[in-house]
Amino acid sequence: MRLSASLAAARTPTRSLRAVPVGVQVAFALALSAQLLWYALSPAPGSERRALPPAPPVSLLRLAAFGEPAALARAGTLWLQYFDQQPGDSVPWRELDYGRLRAWLERWLTLAPASEYPLALAVRLYGQVSDPDRQRIMLDFVHDAFLERPGTRWRWLAEGTLLAKHRLKDLDLALRYARDLADRTEGMDVPYWARDLQILLLEDMGEYEAARILIGGLLASGEIEDPGEVRFLEQRLEALSRGKERGDNAPRP
Amino acid sequence: MKLPETPPLVATIARFTLRQARQSRLLVLAGILLVLAFVLTGLAGAVALTEHAAIQAVLLAAGLRVGAVGLIALFAVSACLREQDDRTLDLVLALDAPRSHYVFGKLAAFALIAVALAIACALPLLIWSPPMAVAGWALSLACEAWLVATLGLLLAFTFRQPVTALAALVAFYLLARGLDALLLLARDPVFVHDGPFRAFIESGIALIAWVMPGLHRFTDAAWLGMGGFDPALLLPVLGQTAVYGALLAAAAAFDLYRREF
């Protein structure tokens, strides 16, 4: 049997177009026109140690998300957080490429702008590295993210400010952040202790004192509802208080 | 004013389809899906440092969305094909009623099944998210599931083979959900290649987008997270469901009238 004959035999028998009632034909034409009109009116629309791979463009990640950018961002943030715990090995933060790390954090924050998780990782995890250059990269990321949404991200810059002063020992940078924090949140619902950080810096209080004020303020404000985060901050506060009693240097988080 | 009565054949077909759903243990499968998704997202929540509630709600919602859509797609295609194979459809079409009544009956039953699935998926999300956001998410999921089931009906008549029909449905669904990202990629590519191929891809994607439903605006798990939910987000969902549902229904009726059984 020739190919054309085989294809003809396999084809489902159909009736002529005249078998379709006029009403159905009109309904189909109208529905198709409505879809085209709808689209036209719709708004237009992101054991060898493995190194951290370069972050792909936001548009590619949006494609991979299949319409769930927030879900992909959450899963991606967790992946990034546990990247240094590779199977059979643990990559020290000092060996991570912080340029790439920042790019990944930026991607996840872009995909889920309401999430503060990437900022928490930058300040409380990767910002704790004992390398000034890497710390600056994380602080710069937090500062840039704050400038985009000062009303919701102020507390991360507040923590970043203390990090710059006490761990990085860069008073100028800390003051710049504290001033931005005060200037960019004017008229917003931000507590006084955060806006007054620049005063604390200028008075050059002790490292533990400032950290304890910040954490105590965060806990007292009642803004943090997540029990895990509250527990984490309470442990930090307790460690700082113990350090103050002993009079030694800042305890490692 | 008296409302027009539902033709008896439409109601009969709807009831028969609902019975098929019950016999195929669709809700039992949905229950298994819920348990599996619950366990997996619980694990993700346990390893998170903060935002536990948001992480669990968003991941669970994304998993349930895919699961619910997959279940209703499998059911719609298999139910329609079984009626063709066991000649039940021949009996229905031999009755003194327009063929469009068969399509309406199916769509009515699919709508009820979609709502039931959406409610079942939404209930566990109430643990972590506000009721208003969960209700909006569930309504959007019902719309999405109904559109997918309607597409399954059309493809079952077009291809008359389960594998082909389901493969076409999966490809269509993935394309519809990733359409905005594809459009962005075409407009702002990762690797810029100037040439006729790029223009062809760009115009091809732009043309396809005109006849695809904008599922990327549907059932966004971010509505359940910390960003909050704006009810206005449901307007494009409901509008697109009405417009594209009408198009799929008309296409299914058109195809059914042309078929020789």
Side-chain angles (χ1 to χ4, degrees):
Chain A
M1 191 184 280
R2 287 185 313 169
L3 181 63
S4 58
S6 305
L7 289 174
R11 204 165 51 205
T12 310
T14 53
R15 305 195 292 185
S16 81
L17 278 175
R18 278 196 292 272
V20 182
V22 177
V24 174
Q25 292 187 31
V26 171
F28 180 73
L30 283 177
L32 184 59
S33 308
Q35 165 63 21
L36 297 177
L37 191 65
W38 177 269
Y39 181 77
L41 296 177
S42 296
S47 170
E48 182 184 67
R49 276 181 185 167
R50 279 186 302 126
L52 189 63
V58 174
S59 54
L60 202 61
L61 288 172
R62 280 195 197 282
L63 177 67
F66 288 120
E68 289 283 9
L72 180 71
R74 306 277 176 173
T77 313
L78 288 178
W79 163 77
L80 190 61
Q81 178 189 325
Y82 286 94
F83 182 84
D84 54 339
Q85 297 296 326
Q86 293 171 20
D89 205 349
S90 178
V91 182
W93 294 334
R94 254 186 289 189
E95 289 184 20
L96 278 178
D97 183 334
Y98 265 53
R100 288 183 176 183
L101 182 65
R102 176 187 170 145
W104 276 108
L105 291 170
E106 279 174 346
R107 301 295 188 275
W108 302 135
L109 196 61
T110 306
L111 289 181
S115 169
E116 293 174 8
Y117 207 107
L119 298 166
L121 288 182
V123 173
R124 294 181 183 168
L125 207 64
Y126 299 114
Q128 304 295 327
V129 67
S130 308
D131 178 346
D133 291 338
R134 286 183 162 82
Q135 281 184 323
R136 279 179 206 283
I137 291 172
M138 287 296 103
L139 289 174
D140 195 42
F141 159 67
V142 172
H143 181 245
D144 287 352
F146 162 80
L147 293 178
E148 283 171 15
R149 291 186 172 204
T152 53
R153 295 173 179 167
W154 57 265
R155 68 186 178 115
W156 300 111
L157 189 64
E159 283 202 30
T161 305
L162 286 183
L163 199 69
K165 181 187 181 298
H166 298 294
R167 298 293 298 271
L168 199 56
K169 312 281 185 198
D170 187 342
L171 192 60
D172 289 341
L173 185 68
L175 269 175
R176 186 161 71 85
Y177 287 170
R179 281 183 179 137
D180 275 347
L181 189 60
D183 295 341
R184 305 272 180 158
T185 57
E186 234 175 72
M188 295 178 183
D189 188 20
V190 173
Y192 285 120
W193 63 261
R195 269 200 281 264
D196 290 345
L197 268 178
Q198 53 184 326
I199 300 169
L200 293 175
L201 285 165
L202 290 170
E203 288 175 354
D204 197 24
M205 291 171 73
E207 177 178 351
Y208 305 130
E209 199 59 36
R212 286 176 63 232
I213 288 170
L214 176 59
I215 296 171
L218 275 171
L219 291 170
S221 68
E223 285 169 86
I224 303 169
E225 293 169 352
D226 193 281
E229 192 176 358
V230 170
R231 202 163 48 246
F232 178 73
L233 287 175
E234 281 172 344
Q235 284 169 355
R236 293 277 312 267
L237 188 60
E238 201 182 330
L240 284 165
S241 300
R242 276 202 307 270
K244 189 190 175 195
E245 283 165 17
R246 285 199 307 271
D248 54 10
N249 286 332
R252 276 192 62 80
Chain B
M1 195 179 107
K2 194 180 170 188
L3 289 171
E5 285 182 17
T6 308
L9 185 63
V10 173
T12 306
I13 288 169
R15 271 200 302 274
F16 180 72
T17 308
L18 289 174
R19 190 187 299 166
Q20 276 182 312
R22 201 175 65 235
Q23 287 169 349
S24 65
R25 309 278 194 277
L26 199 62
L27 281 179
V28 176
L29 285 173
I32 295 170
L33 168 73
L34 277 175
V35 173
L36 279 177
F38 216 80
V39 171
L40 290 176
T41 52
L43 188 67
V47 298
L49 277 183
T50 184
E51 296 184 12
H52 296 85
I55 283 179
Q56 297 209 43
V58 168
L59 292 182
L60 181 62
L64 288 176
R65 178 187 182 185
V66 175
V69 166
L71 279 180
I72 203 165
L74 283 170
F75 168 72
V77 170
S78 62
C80 295
L81 284 176
R82 196 166 67 184
E83 283 172 9
Q84 292 178 42
D85 291 341
D86 64 14
R87 296 287 171 193
T88 315
L89 186 61
D90 292 9
L91 289 175
V92 174
L93 297 182
L95 296 172
D96 184 22
R99 290 186 174 196
S100 57
H101 284 191
Y102 174 82
V103 175
F104 290 139
K106 282 282 174 200
L107 297 193
F110 288 159
L112 289 174
I113 295 167
V115 168
L117 265 179
I119 291 173
C121 291
L123 286 177
L125 294 170
L126 287 169
I127 299 172
W128 299 294
S129 298
M132 179 64 92
V134 175
W137 182 87
L139 179 59
S140 179
L141 178 63
C143 291
E144 184 174 335
W146 182 70
L147 280 182
V148 167
T150 309
L151 178 67
L153 173 74
L154 170 64
L155 295 177
F157 282 118
T158 304
F159 294 113
R160 303 181 81 168
Q161 292 293 329
V163 176
T164 325
L166 281 170
L169 196 148
V170 168
F172 184 95
Y173 181 69
L174 292 180
L175 184 60
R177 279 189 60 171
L179 197 59
D180 61 334
L182 271 178
L183 285 169
L184 281 172
L185 267 183
R187 205 180 58 197
D188 185 19
V190 183
F191 304 106
V192 180
H193 295 293
D194 285 324
F197 187 69
R198 183 185 164 193
F200 175 75
I201 292 288
E202 266 186 46
S203 52
I205 292 171
L207 267 178
I208 289 170
W210 283 86
V211 288
M212 296 292 288
L215 291 186
H216 55 274
R217 292 198 183 88
F218 282 55
T219 330
D220 191 348
W223 299 348
L224 305 167
M226 293 171 69
F229 169 68
D230 180 5
L233 292 167
L234 286 176
L235 290 177
V237 170
L238 295 173
Q240 178 69 96
T241 304
V243 168
Y244 210 78
L247 178 60
L248 287 174
F254 198 103
D255 201 29
L256 186 59
Y257 274 106
R258 290 201 66 204
R259 290 287 156 195
E260 199 75 77
F261 290 96

